[in-house]
Amino acid sequence: MSFIDEVLLHAKAGDGGNGAVAWRREAHVPKGGPAGGDGGDGGDVVLVAESGIHSLLDFTYNPHLWAKNGGQGRGKKQAGEGGAPAIAKVPIGTQVFDADTDELLADLTDHGQRVVVCKGGSGGFGNSRFATPSRQAPEFAKPGLAGEEKRLRLSLKLMADVGLLGFPNAGKSTFLSRVSAARPKIAAYPFTTLVPQLGVVKVEDGRNFVVADIPGLIEGAAEGAGLGVQFLKHLERVRVLLHLVEVPLEIVESVDAQEDQHKTRGPVDLVERYEALRGELERFNEGLAAVPEVVAVNKIDLVGAGVRELASVKKLAKHLAKRDVPLLYVSGASGQGLRELVFALANHVDKVRGPVVKAAFNPFARARY
Ligand SMILES: Nc1nc2c(ncn2[C@@H]2O[C@H](COP(=O)(O)OP(=O)(O)OP(=O)(O)O)[C@@H](O)[C@H]2O)c(=O)[nH]1
Ligand SMILES: [Mg+2]
């Protein structure tokens, strides 16, 4: 399924119908007076957030939202019909901007939340409305008003509690697949994940939270390297970031036999790698860089118990301790440390105040850590 998180739309509400100029015509009622009905109101353009929709894809096929015009007023004081609204369903987390002014018109964060983005024009009064004792035969009626017309930009920002951050291949999708019912694609090459994905994590104690897996980030992403930073916006609403750092495979730094590999890949400085991604976050959005963070060294199954003794891991631990950032050690493959990590994330989610994210709770989602 294609994932589209940004679209431009042309929205036009219906025009109001014109009021009618008409006269009462009945046998034995000479000069029956004005009887022109009002025009009907034009339909509104309405957006509704729906939990079953995950992409703005449909709008790429039809980027127009046009509501119907109100009907014209008629004789015998009959009002024109109201124009049918144009109602479109959007994913939860959709922000609606006026594309010309960039003003935020609405932020649809709850299932069922609806917003009128373009108001239909009012119908004009028919001439029967304008009769007064001194003007018994008004020869005029009011035209309907034009419906609002706007160019809209819809921007989907996923609603999640925890956002995954890491270089490609760090094991983000593997982690998500282990702790939730989500089944993202996992493979041993970079940029396996091409679009963000959500998973609901069910903690043993009954709490649950939503994790967003996004494509891997690399240094220079802010300038467009790799898949760029376009997906970082999906982390803007999270309450805590989980930064996954791959265990330094160059631990061969201590193993002579693999000295060659060490040379070709160069020494891994986890602090440098960690800070490289932090830099990309900061350049993208300082607010995002301020979101609380949990760091986990992943793939510890590859190095066994000695992971904490590795020079670059020790250096990272020291670096993070200075900043009061928790560091955990996990393996998405073997499951080691995942239970502690899930609890740590749940506690962070609870601690960080903010609007409660309403995730669709899936009772069939089994935690398997
Ligand atoms: N040994 C080991 N391998 C792992 C672990 N976690 C993930 N892998 C492997 O690492 C590779 C990349 O894993 P992914 O989960 O696809 O990594 P990702 O961070 O989602 O990568 P992108 O989507 O490309 O950004 C896969 O071959 C996984 O099987 C782990 O804990 N231990
Ligand atoms: Mg992935």
Side-chain angles (χ1 to χ4, degrees):
M1 190 188 73
S2 297
F3 178 84
I4 300 287
D5 59 4
E6 202 76 35
V7 286
L8 278 177
L9 289 184
H10 175 217
K12 166 83 176 73
D15 297 336
N18 297 329
V21 175
W23 308 99
R24 189 170 166 201
R25 293 272 179 263
E26 273 174 64
H28 316 301
V29 188
K31 296 189 178 176
D38 300 341
D41 293 339
D44 299 332
V45 178
V46 182
L47 299 179
V48 188
E50 283 268 343
S51 57
I53 298 188
H54 304 289
S55 164
L56 297 170
L57 178 70
D58 285 354
F59 293 107
T60 60
Y61 301 126
N62 179 14
H64 301 284
L65 277 177
W66 289 354
K68 295 266 192 266
N69 294 337
Q72 311 288 5
R74 282 167 291 171
K76 298 185 186 172
K77 296 192 183 175
Q78 294 175 87
E81 282 174 17
I87 302 176
K89 295 172 181 172
V90 296
I92 293 175
T94 300
Q95 293 186 323
V96 187
F97 293 90
D98 183 315
D100 296 310
T101 62
D102 231 20
E103 181 194 353
L104 176 66
L105 303 177
D107 194 358
L108 297 161
T109 54
D110 292 301
H111 174 73
Q113 196 182 339
R114 57 167 53 216
V115 59
V116 174
V117 285
C118 290
K119 186 92 191 86
S122 305
F125 280 169
N127 69 339
S128 59
R129 298 268 200 167
F130 297 104
T132 61
S134 59
R135 188 178 63 199
Q136 295 186 0
E139 296 272 355
F140 62 90
K142 286 277 173 152
L145 299 180
E148 281 185 312
E149 184 169 3
K150 282 177 192 161
R151 277 174 5 104
L152 300 176
R153 181 167 64 83
L154 304 193
S155 177
L156 170 61
K157 281 185 192 166
L158 293 178
M159 310 286 294
D161 302 297
V162 176
L164 283 174
L165 182 71
F167 275 92
N169 265 340
K172 301 178 293 298
S173 303
T174 304
F175 169 77
L176 184 70
S177 73
R178 275 307 286 250
V179 300
S180 78
R183 289 292 168 267
K185 187 172 168 188
I186 293 167
Y189 54 83
F191 301 116
T192 310
T193 301
L194 296 173
V195 298
Q197 188 155 5
L198 296 180
V200 181
V201 179
K202 188 172 172 281
V203 192
E204 287 171 6
D205 58 13
R207 290 181 288 176
N208 62 82
F209 58 87
V210 179
V211 177
D213 178 21
I214 65 161
L217 202 63
I218 58 176
E219 202 170 353
E223 283 79 47
L227 293 178
V229 286
Q230 54 174 325
F231 295 110
L232 281 182
K233 72 170 183 177
H234 293 293
L235 301 187
E236 279 178 354
R237 302 188 200 250
V238 302
R239 304 198 214 187
V240 53
L241 291 170
L242 171 57
H243 190 151
L244 282 186
V245 181
E246 211 175 333
V247 92
L249 282 181
E250 289 72 359
I251 40 133
V252 283
E253 63 193 62
S254 60
V255 182
D256 291 345
Q258 294 180 16
E259 193 61 29
D260 286 350
Q261 190 188 349
H262 173 94
K263 275 186 198 140
T264 49
R265 294 184 66 176
V268 170
D269 186 330
L270 287 190
V271 173
E272 249 171 47
R273 275 175 81 79
Y274 166 82
E275 283 299 338
L277 288 202
R278 293 291 312 170
E280 296 300 328
L281 273 195
E282 264 155 41
R283 274 192 281 172
F284 177 76
N285 178 337
E286 284 185 12
L288 184 55
V291 171
E293 191 185 28
V294 172
V295 179
V297 174
N298 191 26
K299 307 195 185 181
I300 57 169
D301 56 294
L302 295 177
V303 291
V307 60
R308 289 165 208 247
E309 303 312 318
L310 299 173
S312 61
V313 171
K314 269 196 204 159
K315 188 173 162 195
L316 179 67
K318 215 166 137 191
H319 183 71
L320 295 176
K322 268 189 280 182
R323 307 177 54 212
D324 260 345
V325 175
L327 175 65
L328 289 92
Y329 301 86
V330 300
S331 164
S334 74
Q336 268 171 283
L338 290 185
R339 192 166 175 272
E340 291 79 1
L341 179 54
V342 164
F343 270 100
L345 292 173
N347 291 343
H348 263 77
V349 169
D350 282 350
K351 213 163 48 185
V352 178
R353 267 190 266 132
V356 174
V357 175
K358 294 192 185 90
F361 175 59
N362 177 358
F364 301 107
R366 281 262 162 77
R368 295 174 304 113
Y369 45 86

